[in-house]
Amino acid sequence: MMKSSFTMPFAGSDLDECEHKRGQAELEAFLNDDSACAILFDQGRPSLRPTGGLKMVHPKSLVGQNIADPGPLFLGTRDGVPIFAFHIARENDVTEAESFQDMRVVARQLSPTELALAGRAKALLEWHASHTYCAKCSKQSFPQRGGTSRKCPACGTDHFPRVNPVTIMLVINGDQCLLGRGHGWPDKTYSALAGFISPGETIEEGCAREIFEEVGVTVTNQRYVFSQPWPFPSQLMIGLICETTDTELKIDPKEIEDAKWFTREQVEAVFAKRSEVFKRPPRFTIAHQLLRHWLAETD
């Protein structure tokens, strides 16, 4: 079983989101606070210090920079310190040493607290970037409440960030598990099967449908294990373990490239770095944690 101290990557934020302190005057006070700090992003990539960790600057140092919508994104406070995120154009670097890195690279380097902070900021910034215009009347909308919503001035519609639910499931048959790979993935890369939940479905129904569509296997006994916020761009990965008596696979090539059964011994060897029968999913993914959970369950 998972250790009680375990924090799922991208989860575990310790921020006070200050839900009731997001008026214009309050936001201005947070921006001007001497202790305020901000994470910088360029095209979804956070800036890191040369020595590692998120690079933090005071919001005042960004005056005159090319700041993209939504402007100052107020993430909340930590121990009373206001924390913001800004999307800036990289050609207008705050310093020549600025280093923007892909979030998947960053995920391997940051502490759990920093990763949760960067993940929340990335998800919100990308939502703003893709929701500049009102979905109801098509007029330009504008950020509100420090970036936690948008409002259309033409029709008055309020828009709020979307989180898309995705089932990600480890299919078990006796002492083996089923893993698949998407088109174009690196050689030997396999992961748990996954898919978006459709309107009108329960989590269990979405799990069963996706598995049957991808590999032609019927599953039962779907059980929830844990979940993970996944900022690529803004999903909630709902981790399940389910069972099947089917062993023959009918892979739909439109859905996935390949799928294979792996024995517990094979998975253990991969996680112990004694085998390369498939590439172990990165530690910051929920697929990695599902496999680790299954191994611990079957010890």
Side-chain angles (χ1 to χ4, degrees), residues 185-226:
W185 286 13
D187 188 40
K188 291 187 177 181
T189 300
Y190 284 82
S191 184
L193 301 180
F196 289 96
I197 297 175
S198 293
E201 283 185 329
T202 64
I203 293 172
E204 294 82 1
E205 289 168 344
C207 166
R209 175 186 54 76
E210 283 288 344
I211 292 170
F212 189 78
E213 288 176 355
E214 293 181 356
V215 295
V217 166
T218 300
V219 298
T220 58
N221 299 329
Q222 302 98 311
R223 59 186 176 87
Y224 171 83
V225 183
F226 37 57

Side-chain angles (χ1 to χ4, degrees), residues 1-3 6 8 166-172 192 203-204 207 221-228 237-243 286-297:
M1 297 293 290
M2 283 285 181
K3 295 180 180 179
F6 172 77
M8 181 65 72
V166 177
T167 57
I168 179 164
M169 42 271 178
L170 198 60
V171 184
I172 304 301
I203 293 172
E204 294 82 1
C207 166
N221 299 329
Q222 302 98 311
R223 59 186 176 87
Y224 171 83
V225 183
F226 37 57
S227 61
Q228 178 187 38
M237 309 298 289
I238 304 168
L240 307 171
I241 289 180
C242 53
E243 301 172 10
I286 193 173
H288 176 108
Q289 305 303 336
L290 276 171
L291 283 165
R292 186 175 292 278
H293 179 87
W294 175 62
L295 290 176
E297 273 195 331

Side-chain angles (χ1 to χ4, degrees), residues 39-113:
I39 316 169
L40 307 183
F41 280 81
D42 169 60
Q43 301 300 316
R45 295 172 294 182
S47 178
L48 267 64
R49 301 189 305 267
T51 55
L54 291 174
K55 180 179 178 63
M56 296 285 196
V57 301
H58 194 282
K60 289 180 181 178
S61 70
L62 301 174
V63 174
Q65 297 294 319
N66 184 13
I67 306 299
D69 187 322
L73 174 62
F74 180 49
L75 298 174
T77 63
R78 176 189 293 145
D79 297 328
V81 175
I83 302 177
F84 292 83
F86 289 80
H87 180 194
I88 68 172
R90 190 165 50 159
E91 60 267 27
N92 292 315
D93 280 346
V94 175
T95 72
E96 294 180 359
E98 212 67 70
S99 175
F100 295 93
Q101 295 194 29
D102 183 271
M103 183 67 85
R104 286 179 171 83
V105 175
V106 168
R108 304 172 188 269
Q109 302 174 3
L110 299 181
S111 69
T113 299

Side-chain angles (χ1 to χ4, degrees), residues 263-282:
T263 65
R264 179 177 182 274
E265 288 72 21
Q266 287 176 309
V267 177
E268 282 183 329
V270 167
F271 270 67
K273 299 183 180 180
R274 299 193 309 267
S275 170
E276 295 183 356
V277 66
F278 68 91
K279 290 184 178 178
R280 187 182 71 176

